[in-house]
Amino acid sequence: MTNAIEINDLHVTIAGSHILQGVSLIVPSGGVTAILGRNGVGKTTTLRAILGLVASSGQIKVFDHEVSSWPTHRIVRLGIGYVPEDRDVFSGLTVEENLRLAESGAEVQYDEVFSLFPELKKRGRQRAGTLSGGQQQMLSIARALLNNRPLLLVDEPSKGLAPKIVGEFAGVLERAAEHSTVLLVEQNLSVVKRLAQRIVVLDHGEVVHRGEARDLDDPTLVRQLLGVTGAA
Amino acid sequence: MNIFLVLTFSGVALGAIYFLAASGLSLIYGLMDVLNFAHGLFMTLGAYAGYEVATRLPSSLGAPTLIVLAIIGATLGGGLAAGITELVLIRPLYGKPISQILITIGLDLAVVGLLMGGFGSTALQIPVPLWLIEPTHIGGVFIPNANFLAIGGGAVVLLGLEWFLSRTRYGIIIRAGVENREMVRALGIDVGRAFTLVFVIGGAMAGLAGILYTIVFTGDLVSPSQGDSLLIFAFIVVVIGGLGSIRGSAVAALVVALLQEYTSFYIGGHSGWAQIGDLSTVLLLAVVLELRPRGLFGRVA
Amino acid sequence: MRWPSRRIGLLVGGAFLALFIVVPFIGLHVPWVLPGTLDIVNSTGTLEVLALCFMFAGVAVGYDMMFGYTGLMSLGPVLFFATGTYVFDIALTRWEWALLPALLLTLGVSLALAVVLGAVALRVHGIAFAMVTLAFAQAFYFLVESNPHNLTAGDTGLSLSYTRLPSFLSGAVSNTRNLYWIALAFLVIAYAVVWLVTESVTGRVFVAIRENERRLDVLGVRPFRFKLVSFVVSSLIATGGGVVYILVIGTAVPSVVASTTVTLSILIMVVLGGAGTRWGAVVGAMVYVYLQQYLDKVGAEPSFTRLPAVLRVPLSEPQFLLGAIFVLFVLFAPGGIASLVVRHRSRRALGAPALSSLIRKV
Ligand SMILES: Nc1ncnc2c1ncn2[C@@H]1O[C@H](COP(=O)(O)OP(=O)(O)OP(=O)(O)O)[C@@H](O)[C@H]1O
Ligand SMILES: [Mg+2]
């Protein structure tokens, strides 16, 4: 098995707008592949299409299974952990209940997760809706790491967080990437440079660049693709 | 004062029945976005299942045993009907909430029609033990014992439901699903099973509500469209309580039922005001929607 | 491809209209299509059934504009239907008003109610909107049933007094054909109104609202105004239907004209015929009312009573058969009868540029 994900000519239309217009990309096994792009170009939609959360046409292969017609839970059970863009912890459930819900199978690594985020152990009985944004992100990442899954889809883990905690999360993902494949959507270039080996840039629902993470060292390319200056 | 106490007891009994009907509706709506018009049908079917049990089993079992079996039969009947409905009619229409609503409307129409054909549109009598008809003397007034049966039934189900939702894995899945169904799927959980389960639980509670309503309020008579006339109040309770909230349903059920009992006695006696009890529930709904559009216990989205 | 099919539609519609206009002059005997006592085409019974068909068809096409085109699932059309029957009936019978003032009062009351209730109910969306409209309609039902100031006669039902009506409308059997033509005229007017609105720019915005309300906000259009227009026009048509009903049937009983059953019937007619197609709603209503009456009569035929109970019981219950047919349609032909007859291309929302250029014109 060489590729964790292979996407070929993926189209998504939501309520009359053609959001993904033929995205093709490959996520090789191991390491971190990052998806970049301006706001609203379809990064989140790409992850959601992989998970079968939005209707799409085209080919999606996860671990060599053609999954585009599968229901979400079946795709996820191939071994995917998902950290959604807006954390999406269940705010009416306690931290413990949130984690319990994420349990699947026997290999549940509570010890590892709690050693990464001791805060969560302390706050087991607290309702997730009352956690701070950073704590909710911990819970969301913990949920994805709980089952030791071979593939992680992580959507903007740094969104709205202080630089210090962003660094912590980057460290956690770095360790996770040692034994899992990570597909990371991220706007923060320094995080991408630190974690990713490969990058894919989207614009207006299409892939406009595929390459190595070190391409981001070229300021003209960065400005051209992302409309920002390289110094992040 | 005495009358007030009598009204309060019968209001709480009615509230218990509204709660049984509304909490299932509310869970189904909260989890699946299905406005289940067949819920009244499940109540009716429960009552008919109870009637069948009570009249077909040998009367030598004794009236108390028979009524207990009838209540169990009603609960199972409602749950079974709801489970089949979910698997056969709702499931093929996932992702089409309007079609799901429409199909429950069609189902209700069809099966109520069938009941009218099969059992006749006149009401049938369920035999009940004498004890249920007799009153108990409390605080200077006589309270029909049937009221206690409904109140007890409602309380037991409320506690059981709270336990189930907070302690079991499926309960947690249901609560999480009410909040964010997609994310539950994205954790690798087959929400479809929770859908069926919620329908079965909701249908069982509706069946129980159906037979309790028969015993407490219709003089033990069962008729084909009795559930549909309860359904409208169950809808009102669900909206007032907040869609998807069990506690909201419980509180709203009591408030609505008591309001209905008090107003229909104290105001409804005057000519031209006969329907004030029913009308007041809709007025309450309008007020609640004006002040808190998400209902009493509805979460702020 | 679009023009020919539209022309065929016009031809077929025109032919049916012409046929229905002359039906009262046809004394044919049609034994199987029209069962039992109705088997003569221009008998009073048959004309009355057809008048009901037209009346409901008009109401249904009005509902289709709101539900099928604008995507608003109101569960309250019965409120406006019952406003039509009761206000008109009360003005003529209790207050002994003349026809025209009674009609104007009825439409005025309906307009005011529709604007106020619509504005309140449209504050919420989707299912909540359905529930709120349902509750309003139910409140109206309770109100009518409680016979306030002895106006509605409650459950007894309020019979229409014909004394102030012109003689060609008085309840005499010989006037049935006049009432029949009035019902037909109502259908034509309702259809024309809906046709004009849905084909206009406003109608295109309705469809855009149904497809994606949020996008309109982005384009700077407040959907509320349009939804209210859709709600009000549809409600006024329902009120017109209520007036025709009381003229034809002559009695208003709450459980028949004001209960949720009426709303559900209208909804079923529209879906059965094909929501969002106009003519589908007309066909759906005709089929529904006709089947309802037909099955009722057939179920009572002597040949039926000899069937074994397993067959006889379901087959002699119109409500069961209609419900079952409806369930099958929702499952297997969600586009309704219209989708079986022609491969109807559902009216798609316009793309953003076309829409915004359109909206500038509004
Ligand atoms: N449910 C929806 N309805 C309408 N439009 C949608 C919907 N979901 C996404 N879109 C649109 O699709 C486009 C892509 O959205 P997406 O969330 O994939 O962007 P993104 O690249 O993740 O952006 P960001 O960096 O801001 O998170 C956006 O223009 C968005 O408005
Ligand atoms: Mg995004």
Side-chain angles (χ1 to χ4, degrees):
Chain A
M1 185 170 54
T2 51
N3 293 326
I5 303 176
E6 287 172 33
I7 294 177
N8 199 3
D9 197 25
L10 182 69
H11 291 261
V12 169
T13 303
I14 299 177
S17 348
H18 198 170
I19 291 169
L20 295 189
Q21 315 184 348
V23 168
S24 301
L25 59 87
I26 284 177
V27 179
S29 280
V32 177
T33 302
I35 301 183
L36 296 94
R38 295 170 232 244
N39 289 117
V41 297
K43 306 181 296 293
T44 300
T45 306
T46 305
L47 294 195
R48 289 167 53 79
I50 295 171
L51 289 166
L53 290 170
V54 289
S56 61
S57 64
Q59 267 194 338
I60 305 173
K61 280 192 176 175
V62 176
F63 299 132
D64 289 331
H65 298 274
E66 170 60 54
V67 299
S68 28
S69 61
W70 289 16
T72 298
H73 63 93
R74 203 171 149 209
I75 302 174
V76 171
R77 284 179 194 171
L78 288 172
I80 301 179
Y82 176 45
V83 182
E85 181 168 5
D86 294 310
R87 286 105 202 212
D88 285 343
V89 297
F90 300 103
S91 54
L93 272 52
T94 63
V95 170
E96 271 172 12
E97 286 172 333
N98 267 280
L99 289 172
R100 185 169 165 202
L101 201 63
E103 287 175 12
S104 102
E107 275 183 75
V108 191
Q109 332 180 64
Y110 273 106
D111 294 341
E112 280 90 301
V113 164
F114 284 142
S115 73
L116 288 173
F117 303 116
E119 193 81 3
L120 292 181
K121 185 162 194 178
K122 247 181 15 211
R123 297 181 181 273
R125 298 276 157 116
Q126 190 173 337
R127 278 184 12 151
T130 63
L131 295 173
S132 76
Q135 290 160 348
Q136 290 190 4
Q137 187 63 287
M138 285 179 201
L139 180 55
S140 185
I141 294 177
R143 217 164 44 173
L145 298 180
L146 193 64
N147 297 299
N148 192 16
R149 286 183 147 158
L151 176 59
L152 299 176
L153 307 185
V154 186
D155 198 346
E156 295 201 43
S158 69
K159 194 176 175 185
L161 300 179
K164 180 168 173 294
I165 202 165
V166 170
E168 269 175 44
F169 286 152
V172 168
L173 291 176
E174 206 164 25
R175 277 177 53 189
E178 285 164 14
H179 45 84
S180 305
T181 306
V182 179
L183 177 56
L184 173 72
V185 170
E186 185 52 74
Q187 305 269 26
N188 184 327
L189 288 186
S190 65
V191 172
V192 175
K193 284 181 194 168
R194 173 172 164 194
L195 295 178
Q197 289 84 49
R198 291 161 302 272
I199 61 167
V200 175
V201 182
L202 288 187
D203 202 5
H204 289 104
E206 290 179 71
V207 175
V208 292
H209 180 82
R210 296 183 186 82
E212 310 275 303
R214 63 170 174 272
D215 297 352
L216 295 173
D217 295 331
D218 175 358
T220 29
L221 189 68
V222 168
R223 188 166 326 117
Q224 181 200 332
L225 292 175
L226 302 170
V228 293
T229 47
Chain B
M1 193 58 217
N2 288 353
I3 280 295
F4 183 78
L5 202 60
V6 173
L7 290 173
T8 305
F9 267 99
S10 86
V12 176
L14 184 61
I17 289 164
Y18 284 169
F19 164 73
L20 290 173
S23 52
L25 263 180
S26 185
L27 274 185
I28 290 172
Y29 179 81
L31 188 65
M32 311 170 62
D33 293 341
V34 177
L35 186 59
N36 181 25
F37 268 87
H39 218 69
L41 173 66
F42 299 155
M43 292 188 242
T44 308
L45 285 177
Y48 275 95
Y51 168 81
E52 285 290 309
V53 169
T55 51
R56 294 211 175 215
L57 289 179
S59 53
S60 58
L61 286 171
T65 318
L66 280 178
I67 199 70
V68 169
L69 291 178
I71 290 173
I72 294 173
T75 312
L76 294 180
L80 185 69
I84 294 174
T85 302
E86 203 281 329
L87 288 174
V88 177
L89 296 179
I90 305 289
R91 186 153 290 223
L93 298 172
Y94 278 170
K96 300 185 196 159
I98 298 285
S99 294
Q100 287 176 326
I101 296 173
L102 294 174
I103 208 155
T104 62
I105 291 175
L107 177 72
D108 181 69
L109 206 64
V111 180
V112 169
L114 211 53
L115 287 173
M116 291 197 292
F119 291 90
S121 33
T122 47
L124 303 169
Q125 179 117 29
I126 295 186
V128 297
L130 212 55
W131 179 83
L132 275 176
I133 302 164
E134 287 167 350
T136 295
H137 192 98
I138 293 183
V141 292
F142 289 96
I143 306 294
N145 287 335
N147 281 349
F148 299 115
L149 183 69
I151 295 170
V156 167
V157 170
L158 175 60
L159 293 177
L161 201 58
E162 287 276 351
W163 174 84
F164 169 76
L165 288 175
S166 60
R167 292 280 176 269
T168 66
R169 178 167 170 85
Y170 263 104
I172 295 175
I173 291 177
I174 290 168
R175 275 160 59 216
V178 168
E179 220 179 275
N180 185 346
R181 204 165 41 199
E182 260 186 7
M183 195 56 221
V184 175
R185 288 204 180 98
L187 292 174
I189 295 165
D190 180 1
V191 186
R193 283 204 216 153
F195 289 174
T196 313
L197 186 66
V198 158
F199 248 81
V200 169
I201 293 174
M205 291 192 292
L208 180 60
I211 192 154
L212 288 179
Y213 185 70
T214 303
I215 293 173
V216 185
F217 291 100
T218 71
D220 310 318
L221 294 174
V222 190
S223 58
S225 50
Q226 68 175 48
D228 288 336
S229 49
L230 269 179
L231 183 64
I232 189 82
F233 295 108
F235 276 149
I236 291 173
V237 167
V238 170
V239 178
I240 291 181
L243 294 159
S245 163
I246 294 302
R247 260 173 234 179
S249 290
V251 173
L254 280 181
V255 172
V256 167
L258 286 171
L259 179 74
Q260 206 174 357
E261 289 288 307
Y262 294 147
T263 49
S264 72
F265 181 82
Y266 290 112
I267 309 177
H270 307 284
S271 101
W273 290 92
Q275 302 296 322
I276 185 66
D278 295 345
L279 198 56
S280 64
T281 63
V282 182
L283 293 179
L284 179 67
L285 172 73
V287 171
V288 169
L289 276 178
E290 197 56 34
L291 301 178
R292 286 181 66 99
R294 289 192 178 79
L296 296 179
F297 285 66
R299 258 177 242 103
V300 179
Chain C
M1 280 312 289
R2 202 169 150 216
W3 277 105
S5 77
R6 182 174 271 209
R7 206 167 290 166
I8 292 171
L10 258 171
L11 275 176
V12 173
F16 267 106
L17 181 60
L19 174 70
F20 281 130
I21 289 175
V22 300
V23 152
F25 301 112
I26 306 176
L28 269 183
H29 178 87
V30 188
W32 271 101
V33 186
L34 304 167
T37 52
L38 299 180
D39 60 358
I40 296 177
V41 171
N42 65 352
S43 67
T44 316
T46 307
L47 289 184
E48 220 173 80
V49 169
L50 283 174
L52 274 186
C53 282
F54 301 149
M55 184 280 291
F56 270 116
V59 174
V61 79
Y63 187 77
D64 189 28
M65 179 179 60
M66 173 170 58
F67 173 66
Y69 282 79
T70 325
L72 294 172
M73 186 159 141
S74 164
L75 293 180
V78 67
L79 194 159
F80 298 98
F81 180 78
T83 301
T85 39
Y86 272 102
V87 176
F88 190 69
D89 194 353
I90 289 168
L92 284 170
T93 307
R94 295 275 195 238
W95 304 332
E96 301 184 350
W97 288 22
L99 175 64
L100 201 61
L103 192 61
L104 289 178
L105 174 77
T106 309
L107 292 176
V109 169
S110 170
L111 179 67
L113 268 178
V115 170
V116 172
L117 297 184
V120 173
L122 286 170
R123 290 181 41 178
V124 290
H125 301 256
I127 300 297
F129 173 74
M131 285 195 167
V132 173
T133 47
L134 179 69
F136 283 154
Q138 197 64 23
F140 193 81
Y141 172 72
F142 292 141
L143 198 67
V144 169
E145 213 188 14
S146 65
N147 190 18
H149 300 287
N150 273 329
L151 281 175
T152 65
D155 281 330
T156 337
L158 182 61
S159 294
L160 182 65
S161 146
Y162 291 90
T163 49
R164 295 299 311 267
L165 286 173
S167 59
F168 73 96
L169 285 180
S170 74
V173 171
S174 58
N175 281 329
T176 307
R177 64 168 65 162
N178 295 335
L179 293 169
Y180 168 93
W181 280 318
I182 285 178
L184 186 57
F186 164 71
L187 168 58
V188 172
I189 294 170
Y191 197 90
V193 168
V194 171
W195 190 85
L196 284 174
V197 175
T198 49
E199 289 297 311
S200 71
V201 175
T202 307
R204 305 311 292 268
V205 178
F206 285 178
V207 176
I209 290 173
R210 179 191 74 194
E211 294 292 311
N212 189 348
E213 195 174 336
R214 282 220 328 253
R215 208 176 56 168
L216 281 175
D217 274 325
V218 177
L219 292 171
V221 183
R222 299 256 314 277
F224 178 83
R225 237 176 5 140
F226 291 92
K227 292 199 285 186
L228 191 61
V229 168
S230 186
F231 185 86
V232 169
V233 174
S234 167
S235 301
L236 282 175
I237 293 176
T239 299
V243 171
V244 174
Y245 176 91
I246 190 71
L247 283 173
V248 173
I249 301 296
T251 311
V253 180
S255 61
V256 179
V257 302
S259 78
T260 310
T261 319
V262 179
T263 293
L264 298 185
S265 305
I266 295 168
L267 183 60
I268 290 174
M269 291 168 195
V270 171
V271 175
L272 198 63
T277 64
R278 284 188 307 247
W279 66 272
V282 174
V283 173
M286 308 271 282
V287 168
Y288 184 94
V289 177
Y290 171 75
L291 274 184
Q292 197 176 36
Q293 304 284 334
Y294 181 84
L295 294 172
D296 208 32
K297 301 281 187 308
V298 167
E301 300 254 323
S303 54
F304 248 73
T305 51
R306 287 195 295 272
L307 288 173
V310 210
L311 285 177
R312 191 192 62 230
V313 168
L315 290 182
S316 57
E317 272 304 325
Q319 191 178 330
F320 166 74
L321 290 170
L322 286 168
I325 290 171
F326 182 63
V327 164
L328 292 177
F329 262 93
V330 174
L331 277 179
F332 301 112
I337 296 170
S339 69
L340 301 180
V341 178
V342 287
R343 285 244 311 282
H344 189 272
R345 269 189 296 136
S346 128
R347 219 160 271 271
R348 287 229 199 82
L350 299 168
L355 195 64
S356 52
S357 80
L358 200 86
I359 279 156
R360 250 174 273 127
K361 286 193 230 153
V362 185

